[in-house]
């Protein structure tokens, strides 16, 4: 069998399996990425900052913000320096979801680490980081 065909199948199965872990989220995983940043990383974030951190377009972030605001996960706060800009702030509902989800994902990742061994798990993370860097250059 062609090794690249097999590699594609392995990558696809991994992505599908990892996404399945997030199937019970009340929002899309990409929207969850926004919440993870604004809840878990200190500081205030504008849509432009979030787009850069998540490596997505500003229109995509704008769409996420609209959905998250309608669902009660975020509020907008006008920036004092520039009235055209705003900060995206989490609500208590967002903080609760991030805490619950973080704990669940931690348990899943711990189980993966246990099944591989700590050394192999660390190697997997290193390989995935290196692969992500390469994928970024291919865009």
């Amino acid at each position: 069998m062609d090794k690249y065909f097999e590699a594609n199948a392995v990558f696809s199965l991994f992505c599908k399996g990892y996404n399945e872990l997030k199937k019970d989220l009340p929002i899309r995983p990409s929207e969850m990425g926004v919440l993870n940043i604004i809840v878990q990383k200190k500081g205030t974030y504008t849509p432009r900052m979030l787009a850069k951190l998540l490596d997505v377009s500003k229109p995509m972030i704008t769409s996420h913000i609209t959905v998250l605001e309608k669902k009660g996960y975020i509020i907008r706060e006008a920036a004092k320096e520039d009235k055209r800009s705003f900060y995206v702030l989490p609500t208590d509902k967002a903080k609760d979801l991030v805490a619950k989800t973080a704990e669940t994902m931690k348990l899943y990742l711990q189980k993966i680490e246990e099944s591989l061994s700590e050394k192999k798990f660390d190697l997997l993370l290193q390989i995935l980081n290196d692969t992500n860097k390469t994928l970024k250059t291919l865009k």
Side-chain angles (χ1 to χ4, degrees):
M1 182 186 295
D2 180 337
K3 77 175 183 179
Y4 298 110
F5 177 84
E6 188 174 335
N8 188 41
V10 169
F11 286 152
S12 294
L13 276 174
F14 174 81
C15 291
K16 181 181 181 288
Y18 193 71
N19 282 332
E20 276 292 308
L21 298 178
K22 301 174 184 184
K23 72 179 186 298
D24 294 328
L25 287 174
I27 58 177
R28 295 181 1 213
S30 55
E31 295 163 351
M32 193 68 201
V34 172
L35 294 187
N36 283 330
I37 290 172
I38 65 174
V39 171
Q40 295 182 322
K41 293 185 88 164
K42 291 197 186 292
T44 52
Y45 297 92
T46 64
R48 177 170 286 157
M49 295 163 76
L50 291 167
K52 186 173 180 172
L53 284 168
L54 292 168
D55 195 24
V56 296
S57 69
K58 191 164 176 284
M60 180 178 279
I61 287 296
T62 300
S63 172
H64 289 347
I65 289 169
T66 300
V67 169
L68 292 170
E69 187 174 37
K70 283 181 183 174
K71 291 184 176 185
Y73 289 104
I74 63 157
I75 57 171
R76 299 174 193 225
E77 182 180 281
K80 292 169 183 66
E81 326 69 60
D82 179 359
K83 295 299 179 195
R84 297 172 297 166
S85 189
F86 63 91
Y87 295 108
V88 179
L89 304 174
T91 62
D92 288 340
K93 184 178 179 179
K95 293 173 187 175
D96 291 343
L97 179 61
V98 168
K100 177 184 163 202
T101 303
E103 187 57 36
T104 301
M105 289 308 295
K106 180 179 179 180
L107 291 172
Y108 288 146
L109 292 170
Q110 285 173 333
K111 288 184 185 291
I112 292 170
E113 182 179 36
E114 288 169 12
S115 75
L116 293 176
S117 82
E118 184 178 357
K119 185 177 179 180
K120 284 184 178 179
F121 183 77
D122 291 344
L123 179 59
L124 173 64
L125 295 180
Q126 180 184 345
I127 290 168
L128 289 173
N129 272 321
D130 292 346
T131 303
N132 285 334
K133 290 175 189 171
T134 301
L135 288 172
K136 242 183 159 173
T137 68
L138 301 176
K139 290 182 182 179

